[in-house]
Amino acid sequence: MSLRTRRSALTVSATTALLLLAACGSPGAGGASPSGATAFVIGYAGGLSGMLEGFEKPALEAAKMAVEDINRDGGLNGKRVELITQDTKSDIDQGGPAGQALLAKGAGALLVTADYNFGGGAARAAQAAGVVAVSVGAGSPKFGVQGIGPLAFTMGTSGAGDGALTAEWAYEKRAARSAYVLLDDTTDYNKDQCRGFQTRWRELGGVLAGQDTFKNGDASISPQITRMKSLPKTPDVIAFCSYAPGGAVALGQLRSAGIDSLILTNSGMDGTYWFEKSMPELSGVALPVSASVWGDDPAEEVRRFVERYKEKTGSQPQNMYPVLAYAAVQAIVQAAKESGSTKGADMAEAMNKFTDKQLLIPVSFTKDTHIDVRRPARMLVLDQGKWKTDGLRSLKKAPPLFAE
Amino acid sequence: MQYLIDVLSQGSLYALCALGIALTFGVMRLINFAHGEFMMVGGYVLVVAGDIPVWAALLSSVIIVGFLAVATERIAFRPVRNADPETMLVTSFAVSFLLQSLAVLLFGSLGRSVRVFPPSITGVMHIGGLNIRWLDIITVAVTVTLLVSLMAFMKTRHGVELRAAAENFTVARLLGVKANQVIGTAFAISGVFAAATSIVLAAQRGLVEPTFGTTTMLFAFIAVIVGGMGSLPGAVLGAYALGLISVTSQALLPLGLRQFRDAFIFLVVVLILLLRPEGILRGHAARVRI
């Protein structure tokens, strides 16, 4: 390409970009909501294609179910609720523009990706426009007042809380006394989980036999296994702060190296897809979730929802995100009902007052904490390739939400 | 000693992948970023193969990925063969995105678990206080076998043509080497190496997802640069060097610094390149300034 054609190509691209910005950038440019004043529109900005689609598409299906149910029961104060979507293509940079596009189409509230970084862009766009944004499961305490603004909420639970919960469960129910901490330091959630575990483990009087790190993309964790194998005694439990796919790879390598310690992990390792062929008889993995999708959740509503989801989509959910997404839609509509307003600030104020609000799962927020720290967790335990719920557990003592 | 086994295993994996990348760079000066996706396709072939006999699954993977590599050359790279290297680079990114998107479309983004070898050969052997995984032995054995086969191939007529093309493509063509044929051969061999890498990687990971080959491909690419762009022995040397740096940083760095492991690895890579800007062994293809 010659310099001149390159320059003119640049000019054309720049002009196109400016035109596009002008078209999508200003809120309201897209006109009123699809059904005018008779509908309340919820926008879903998520990775409906690309690497997050495995999480987002099931969540979207569940959000659609929630909207159908709400409309069947009379909608929101006489208005129909509508759900519109915008694909972020699983690209962090597309989060903001996707949020803008939904707001321009008249969205009165947003549902965003279950991750602080991927969902933050759309949530910030909503915050700037005075609209509430609810993440369908981000596990960062920053997803709220501290990191985005007073109009951002997440249905997820914190990494520190999840880690602490596994420490209490293993110490009390499994009489575990020695632990090894294996941290995949790729995400802040993982770091929080290991921090929460260590804090509670020490408080409980457990022994920390050692710790190590790896990366989610590592093809092999042989050096880490070699270090762990050099311990005089195999630890009772391994606090395993990672997520699939990298977490699945590392966990498989631990097991094939003959390390049989109980593995304490998080909802990022929920599902059967990552081991059903490679380790069909896998046992000894435990993790806390807000809802079990494996048919034995203690709450009847959750069990019924999972059955309906399976009937509707013809597939088994692989994690709790559909449940959280359903509850997120309920939370938005409930906040609008309780405040009698669809203004972001009024809805947020109503949500700040949620204390064990009984939606599909209980939801609690406060003025400063927009992540649920009260919700009892279900401990899922993997036994012979099957996830089983080991009752409900609430934290006895919560570690600090933020690292000091 | 245990760490040495880890180095050999990791280095062999990088070497398998690096050879595939170095081969196409040698003849075409193409940095093929779609090589990781060739590996990903190989992984999904093993997933789809399911319960058929192991040898049949492995053979299918090699044939399909080999064919894919040749087809990609024919459809995507041949039309831009004489274009700027950056055009070819962008084309390889396009192929990579296309294959990844297809994988998401066909198999979803969550990944599929896979068992390549029967459980009897995925365990650990204890020899004199050492833990040797069967997979480590398979990884090293596959690498050595393919390396020896490649060296033998390079002595045949097609191999000599390939080396001649890598040395000086224009002169080789003037001397009667058929461009299409020699490049097609390079891609086919590169595909076989991608399939072999995918088999070893799938056995080690037990999971195949759309980004299956990406990290290994990036490390192998760095190994190719460290070893000397376009030099096959350089690629192997670079791969084992990278395996050594990677395992020793993980083993020796204190806990607080271990999260910066990759930064240390790349720091060593930068130091090597400062001392030898053209890599440990300088490749012929890199000698001609682009």
Side-chain angles (χ1 to χ4, degrees):
Chain A
M1 193 188 274
S2 75
L3 198 60
R4 182 177 286 183
T5 39
R6 242 181 235 184
R7 204 176 286 157
S8 49
L10 270 175
T11 319
V12 171
S13 325
T15 319
T16 317
L18 279 173
L19 282 173
L20 279 173
L21 269 177
C24 323
S26 56
S33 70
S35 303
T38 56
F40 176 70
V41 182
I42 299 175
Y44 191 125
L48 304 175
S49 60
M51 294 309 152
L52 294 173
E53 66 97 42
F55 291 95
E56 302 267 27
K57 274 192 174 166
L60 175 63
E61 283 305 319
K64 281 182 190 163
M65 284 169 70
V67 168
E68 278 167 22
D69 290 351
I70 288 163
N71 284 333
R72 202 182 46 234
D73 294 341
L76 168 60
N77 300 334
K79 278 186 180 180
R80 274 182 60 75
V81 177
E82 283 189 13
L83 188 66
I84 56 173
T85 59
Q86 188 73 34
D87 188 2
T88 64
K89 302 184 173 67
S90 304
D91 179 352
I92 288 185
D93 296 334
Q94 289 295 315
Q100 295 277 11
L102 291 167
L103 293 164
K105 286 179 189 160
L110 291 191
L111 293 171
V112 304
T113 300
D115 180 85
Y116 177 71
N117 297 315
F118 283 90
R124 282 191 190 87
Q127 174 71 45
V131 166
V132 160
V134 182
S135 162
V136 295
S140 166
K142 285 191 289 182
F143 204 105
V145 186
Q146 292 81 359
I148 293 166
L151 303 182
F153 295 81
T154 173
M155 301 304 290
T157 51
S158 75
D162 291 347
L165 204 89
T166 59
E168 289 182 357
W169 176 80
Y171 192 90
E172 289 168 6
K173 276 204 93 168
R174 294 295 172 107
R177 292 296 177 265
S178 64
Y180 196 87
V181 172
L182 193 53
L183 165 66
D184 161 5
D185 57 30
T186 328
T187 69
D188 284 343
Y189 175 89
N190 294 348
K191 291 178 191 166
D192 281 348
Q193 186 206 331
C194 272
R195 177 174 58 79
F197 174 86
Q198 277 171 276
T199 308
R200 275 309 277 143
W201 194 249
R202 279 200 204 98
E203 286 170 357
L204 291 162
V207 177
L208 201 61
Q211 45 186 322
D212 209 345
T213 60
F214 69 104
K215 305 236 175 272
N216 206 267
D218 284 353
S220 162
I221 60 155
S222 297
Q224 288 88 338
I225 289 173
T226 301
R227 179 175 280 128
M228 203 184 291
K229 283 261 188 186
S230 68
L231 290 174
K233 187 173 161 279
T234 311
D236 297 334
V237 293
I238 298 170
F240 185 80
C241 312
S242 184
Y243 57 95
V249 171
L251 199 152
Q253 293 179 359
L254 284 174
R255 283 291 189 254
S256 70
I259 297 171
D260 288 328
S261 310
L262 176 62
I263 295 199
L264 305 172
T265 182
N266 64 68
S267 59
M269 297 288 288
D270 198 354
T272 53
Y273 66 93
W274 57 267
F275 66 80
E276 58 194 351
K277 287 276 161 48
S278 54
M279 301 172 275
E281 303 293 310
L282 185 64
S283 290
V285 182
L287 53 92
V289 286
S290 292
S292 163
V293 292
W294 306 106
D296 65 347
D297 191 277
E300 197 198 332
E301 307 81 59
V302 173
R303 292 201 301 273
R304 229 174 336 162
F305 165 79
V306 172
E307 280 312 310
R308 281 178 57 211
Y309 178 93
K310 284 202 263 189
E311 267 170 38
K312 184 166 186 271
T313 63
S315 62
Q316 161 74 47
Q318 287 290 319
N319 50 50
M320 64 181 178
Y321 294 102
V323 177
L324 298 192
Y326 188 98
V329 174
Q330 287 180 309
I332 288 169
V333 171
Q334 194 63 32
K337 275 184 182 167
E338 286 180 12
S339 63
S341 159
T342 51
K343 276 193 186 146
D346 298 336
M347 286 166 67
E349 207 176 316
M351 284 168 85
N352 287 341
K353 291 184 192 133
F354 281 5
T355 307
D356 301 327
K357 171 67 72 185
Q358 200 48 57
L359 306 173
L360 183 54
I361 47 171
V363 177
S364 307
F365 297 120
T366 67
K367 189 167 167 291
D368 300 316
T369 311
H370 286 186
I371 186 166
D372 198 316
V373 291
R374 289 172 58 89
R375 186 183 306 150
R378 286 82 166 145
M379 280 303 295
L380 289 186
V381 183
L382 193 57
D383 180 31
Q384 297 286 305
K386 298 237 174 342
W387 288 109
K388 289 175 185 158
T389 305
D390 186 43
L392 286 174
R393 268 196 92 82
S394 289
L395 257 182
K396 290 185 176 158
K397 187 178 171 204
L401 265 184
F402 293 93
E404 281 152 15
Chain B
M1 189 63 188
Q2 184 68 48
Y3 284 119
L4 190 67
I5 295 166
D6 297 341
V7 171
L8 276 178
S9 173
Q10 205 141 327
S12 299
L13 180 70
Y14 292 152
L16 272 179
C17 186
L19 276 170
I21 297 170
L23 265 166
T24 44
F25 183 83
V27 289
M28 255 183 108
R29 277 198 234 136
L30 161 74
I31 299 164
N32 187 10
F33 271 96
H35 195 78
E37 278 59 50
F38 290 171
M39 283 152 57
M40 178 265 292
V41 171
Y44 276 114
V45 171
L46 297 173
V47 169
V48 173
D51 296 330
I52 68 169
V54 179
W55 65 266
L58 303 190
L59 193 65
S60 319
S61 179
V62 171
I63 292 172
I64 291 173
V65 178
F67 179 76
L68 173 74
V70 174
T72 308
E73 190 277 319
R74 181 68 193 86
I75 298 164
F77 295 124
R78 195 175 291 184
V80 293
R81 189 185 290 166
N82 297 317
D84 297 338
E86 52 263 44
T87 309
M88 288 201 279
L89 186 69
V90 171
T91 308
S92 84
F93 275 124
V95 174
S96 159
F97 282 136
L98 177 75
L99 290 174
Q100 249 182 36
S101 305
L102 270 176
V104 173
L105 211 62
L106 291 173
F107 301 101
S109 66
L110 278 187
R112 300 275 187 97
S113 58
V114 64
R115 172 173 275 177
V116 183
F117 299 112
S120 51
I121 54 166
T122 48
V124 186
M125 273 192 306
H126 304 281
I127 302 172
L130 289 178
N131 299 306
I132 304 173
R133 294 188 309 161
W134 273 105
L135 274 179
D136 292 333
I137 296 172
I138 292 174
T139 310
V140 177
V142 169
T143 310
V144 171
T145 311
L146 280 181
L147 203 59
V148 172
S149 314
L150 185 66
M151 280 158 63
F153 172 79
M154 286 304 183
K155 295 209 170 90
T156 65
R157 184 189 152 77
H158 289 303
V160 171
E161 285 182 357
L162 200 70
R163 276 155 56 200
E167 184 88 21
N168 190 324
F169 199 72
T170 318
V171 173
R173 284 189 76 178
L174 288 173
L175 291 172
V177 172
K178 287 182 183 134
N180 288 346
Q181 200 181 339
V182 77
I183 289 177
T185 312
F187 266 86
I189 302 174
S190 168
V192 170
F193 273 91
T197 321
S198 75
I199 290 164
V200 170
L201 197 58
Q204 282 197 3
R205 300 179 87 242
L207 189 75
V208 181
E209 73 280 7
T211 51
F212 173 77
T214 311
T215 316
T216 308
M217 194 279 295
L218 281 175
F219 272 87
F221 177 57
I222 292 162
V224 171
I225 296 173
V226 171
M229 289 295 281
S231 155
L232 297 183
V236 176
L237 204 63
Y240 283 102
L242 200 64
L244 178 73
I245 301 167
S246 164
V247 170
T248 39
S249 348
Q250 184 66 40
L252 298 180
L253 281 177
L255 184 70
L257 290 177
R258 242 173 267 162
Q259 59 172 313
F260 305 111
R261 182 199 66 194
D262 287 356
F264 275 89
I265 296 174
F266 297 134
L267 183 71
V268 178
V269 167
V270 168
L271 288 177
I272 294 176
L273 290 178
L274 277 175
L275 291 172
R276 290 191 69 85
E278 285 167 327
I280 303 172
L281 301 177
R282 193 165 63 153
H284 298 296
R287 242 177 249 168
V288 186
R289 284 276 160 228
I290 299 164

